């Protein structure tokens, strides 16, 4: 982690790091926080010509945690529903998420989001915009209930929650943000008595990876531009525009630059985007907002009938619905009922020619071996102290302690694999219900 962020000041007010990690999120987050603290400790030593005292180290660490900005995804519910990187049992993973948030409250971590409640991967797995929004908001309310059950106050943690949605080509995506904000604000105000800051839903948009196609790849930038435009019009807090070649590989530097240029041109050159809410008041926007909100609330009822989010997950309801909607999309695409230019309609007659082998971007063998070498060296240097820390970690997990607080110490001498294996013993490994 120190090597990765060498040269970046993680406590600078203009630095914000988003980590799209889920199953091992608590451990990776602890590594990141330690890196931020160590950076500030090294700065102190460089500026003062001496190492800080124990009291000064405590002050530096407290300041770094209060200052560091960013997001960790850590959304274990959407992992079970729409993706597949769960490693611990859902119950234990939820407990560790609450441990993180409790640690945030006690250490005044105000500028970092403890979870990015993600609809993007639900959409990428095949869900339509209504299901994406309904499942994501329902997951958010499940986290609220879990944290309240731990004794935390709503206004102590609600501002540390953020959301992450996908923008596709369907009209409902044009209002996904405003519907989410309306439902969230109403529930937080009327159901939980939250203050104004807690009622404000912050969300990130990523343009749809699923709408990218390997055929006529240059057209992908056009789709991404339109998706980015409605995201800006809907007042997203942050935006990720996909690169056109992500349809088949890790993007090149040049394609990433083109993708970044899309949102820069919208924000810097497109005059209408200077208006904070250009669609407000338009009939189609107002009507769509009401229709999408109604559909989302109806989905809430279906989840409630199945025992809520966790009860529905026990029967695979969310996964089944996502798979059905995915099959519906693919069927429409393959029979031509859903026209996709350059893919199933208006095909390029020259495209039938063999384009030759496509080069995929992958890590080199040297990079892989270098990582393994660094890992083994780290484990060797800390072989004597690791067992005691791992024992402390398991004790915290079984004795009701805060696991994340111990993780902050454990990552300094234990690898991710060592920590994961230790937590498997006490928290259980993930097994999907079939």
């Amino acid at each position: 982690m120190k090597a990765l962020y060498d040269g970046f000041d993680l406590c600078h007010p203009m630095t914000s790091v988003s980590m799209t990690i889920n199953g091992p999120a608590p451990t990776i987050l602890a590594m990141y926080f330690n890196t931020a603290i160590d950076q500030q400790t090294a700065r102190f030593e460089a500026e003062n010509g001496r190492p800080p005292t124990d009291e000064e180290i405590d002050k530096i660490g407290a300041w770094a945690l209060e200052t560091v900005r960013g997001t960790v995804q850590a959304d274990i519910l959407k992992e079970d529903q729409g993706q597949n990187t769960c490693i611990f049992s859902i119950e234990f993973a939820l407990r560790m998420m609450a441990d993180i948030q409790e640690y945030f409250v006690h250490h005044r971590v105000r500028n970092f989001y403890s979870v990015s409640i993600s609809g993007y991967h639900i959409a990428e797995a095949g869900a339509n915009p209504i299901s994406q929004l309904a499942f994501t908001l329902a997951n958010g309310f499940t986290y609220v209930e879990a944290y309240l059950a731990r004794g935390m106050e709503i206004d102590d943690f609600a501002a540390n929650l953020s959301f992450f949605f996908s923008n596709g080509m369907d009209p409902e995506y044009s209002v996904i943000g405003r519907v989410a904000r309306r439902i969230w604000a109403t529930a937080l105000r009327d159901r939980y008595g939250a203050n104004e800051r807690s009622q404000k839903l912050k969300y990130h948009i990523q343009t749809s990876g699923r709408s990218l196609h390997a055929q006529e790849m240059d057209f992908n930038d056009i789709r991404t531009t339109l998706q980015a435009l409605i995201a800006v019009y809907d007042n997203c807090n942050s935006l990720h525009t996909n690169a056109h070649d992500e349809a088949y590989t890790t993007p090149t530097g040049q394609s990433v630059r083109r993708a970044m240029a899309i949102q820069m041109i919208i924000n810097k050159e497109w005059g209408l985007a200077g208006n904070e809410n250009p669609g407000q008041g338009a009939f189609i926007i107002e009507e769509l907002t009401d229709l999408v909100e109604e559909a989302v609330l109806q989905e809430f009822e279906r989840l409630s009938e199945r025992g809520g989010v966790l009860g529905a997950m026990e029967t695979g309801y969310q996964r089944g619905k996502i798979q059905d909607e995915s099959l519906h999309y693919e069927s429409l695409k393959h029979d031509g009922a859903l026209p996709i230019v350059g893919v199933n309609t208006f095909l390029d007659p020259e495209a039938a020619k063999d384009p030759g082998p496509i080069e995929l971007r992958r890590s080199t063998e040297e990079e892989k071996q270098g990582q393994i070498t660094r890992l083994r060296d780290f484990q060797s240097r800390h072989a004597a102290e690791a067992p005691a820390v791992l024992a402390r970690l398991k004790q915290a997990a079984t004795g009701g302690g805060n696991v994340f607080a111990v993780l902050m110490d454990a990552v300094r001498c234990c690898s991710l694999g060592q920590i994961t294996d230790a937590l498997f013993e006490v928290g259980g490994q993930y097994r999907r219900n079939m």
Side-chain angles (χ1 to χ4, degrees):
M1 192 68 76
K2 289 181 179 179
L4 179 64
Y5 288 107
D6 184 38
F8 293 90
D9 182 355
L10 298 185
C11 290
H12 191 281
M14 293 299 290
T15 301
S16 178
V17 173
S18 174
M19 293 180 280
T20 53
I21 191 76
N22 292 280
T27 306
I28 301 298
L29 179 61
M31 292 177 178
Y32 180 81
F33 281 173
N34 272 279
T35 300
I37 293 169
D38 285 359
Q39 280 187 352
Q40 301 313 307
T41 304
R43 170 175 289 182
F44 177 95
E45 187 168 348
E47 292 176 350
N48 293 275
R50 64 171 178 84
T53 65
D54 289 345
E55 182 180 354
E56 288 169 334
I57 289 175
D58 290 341
K59 289 182 178 179
I60 291 170
W63 179 84
L65 290 174
E66 291 179 21
T67 306
V68 68
R69 308 178 69 89
T71 307
V72 62
Q73 201 163 97
D75 181 359
I76 207 62
L77 296 180
K78 67 89 181 173
E79 283 301 318
D80 178 88
Q81 296 165 16
Q83 218 172 8
N84 294 292
T85 67
C86 300
I87 56 177
F88 302 115
S89 67
I90 295 297
E91 181 182 7
F92 185 65
L94 276 172
R95 180 262 178 93
M96 285 200 292
M97 288 179 65
D99 284 347
I100 292 174
Q101 183 55 64
E102 189 175 67
Y103 184 91
F104 276 30
V105 173
H106 292 163
H107 291 80
R108 297 173 57 84
V109 182
R110 302 286 180 84
N111 300 316
F112 210 96
Y113 296 111
S114 68
V115 56
S116 175
I117 306 160
S118 303
Y120 186 85
H121 306 94
I122 291 172
E124 288 293 284
N128 65 35
I130 301 299
S131 294
Q132 177 198 179
L133 184 53
F135 291 164
T136 306
L137 287 174
N139 290 346
F141 291 126
T142 302
Y143 292 132
V144 168
E145 292 287 346
Y147 296 173
L148 289 173
R150 280 283 292 266
M152 289 180 264
E153 299 293 332
I154 186 70
D155 293 327
D156 286 340
F157 68 80
N160 286 115
L161 307 178
S162 67
F163 287 81
F164 174 23
F165 299 119
S166 169
N167 255 14
M169 304 297 284
D170 298 301
E172 293 87 352
Y173 287 113
S174 301
V175 299
I176 199 169
R178 66 191 64 216
V179 172
R181 283 177 167 145
R182 191 153 82 176
I183 292 175
W184 186 257
T186 301
L188 268 285
R189 181 192 64 203
D190 296 345
R191 174 68 180 84
Y192 299 107
N195 64 24
E196 183 178 344
R197 182 168 183 256
S198 298
Q199 294 169 28
K200 294 178 178 178
L201 180 146
K202 287 83 65 178
Y203 75 97
H204 173 76
I205 283 284
Q206 182 173 342
T207 57
S208 172
R210 191 178 188 188
S211 69
L212 305 180
H213 301 279
Q215 305 97 314
E216 301 266 18
M217 274 198 305
D218 286 346
F219 292 0
N220 288 335
D221 279 342
I222 300 171
R223 298 181 179 99
T224 295
T225 299
L226 295 171
Q227 294 162 10
L229 193 63
I230 61 171
V232 172
Y233 281 6
D234 208 27
N235 274 319
C236 66
N237 294 91
S238 58
L239 175 62
H240 173 156
T241 38
N242 288 326
H244 72 280
D245 52 356
E246 287 186 69
Y248 71 89
T249 189
T250 304
T252 64
Q254 188 58 35
S255 66
V256 169
R257 179 171 172 79
R258 284 174 56 180
M260 193 67 180
I262 290 172
Q263 55 180 295
M264 292 178 70
I265 290 169
I266 291 173
N267 283 308
K268 303 294 185 183
E269 299 182 33
W270 183 246
L272 193 57
N275 184 300
E276 190 172 284
N277 208 338
Q280 189 74 23
F283 172 79
I284 183 61
I285 295 298
E286 300 299 319
E287 185 73 5
L288 264 178
T289 300
D290 291 340
L291 289 172
V292 171
E293 181 183 36
E294 181 181 3
V296 168
L297 296 177
Q298 288 174 349
E299 185 59 51
F300 283 178
E301 292 291 339
R302 287 189 282 272
L303 288 170
S304 182
E305 291 167 358
R306 291 164 172 80
V309 167
L310 297 176
M313 285 167 58
E314 287 290 328
T315 62
Y317 171 73
Q318 293 96 326
R319 287 186 70 87
K321 197 167 193 300
I322 291 168
Q323 289 166 359
D324 287 345
E325 291 169 1
S326 178
L327 178 61
H328 178 66
Y329 169 84
E330 293 297 332
S331 299
L332 294 179
K333 184 172 76 171
H334 284 286
D335 68 18
L338 176 66
I340 302 176
V341 176
V343 177
N344 63 10
T345 186
F346 297 104
L347 304 181
D348 182 358
E350 300 296 317
K353 297 179 179 179
D354 183 9
I358 297 175
E359 182 180 354
L360 302 180
R361 293 169 58 84
R362 294 291 184 265
S363 298
T364 65
E365 186 62 26
E366 182 181 5
E367 289 170 332
K368 294 176 184 176
Q369 294 305 319
Q371 177 63 26
I372 293 171
T373 300
R374 288 191 297 273
L375 171 64
R376 299 305 177 213
D377 177 64
F378 175 85
Q379 291 173 334
S380 177
R381 283 186 283 117
H382 297 286
E385 53 193 308
V389 178
L390 292 173
R392 275 182 57 207
L393 187 62
K394 289 190 279 189
Q395 176 59 38
T398 56
N402 188 299
V403 173
F404 187 74
V406 182
L407 275 176
M408 286 290 289
D409 295 330
V411 295
R412 302 189 72 86
C413 58
C414 305
S415 68
L416 173 62
Q418 290 172 319
I419 290 170
T420 301
D421 286 340
L423 293 178
F424 277 157
E425 294 181 26
V426 292
Q429 294 190 41
Y430 175 78
R431 291 290 183 270
R432 183 176 305 289
N433 289 319
M434 301 300 291

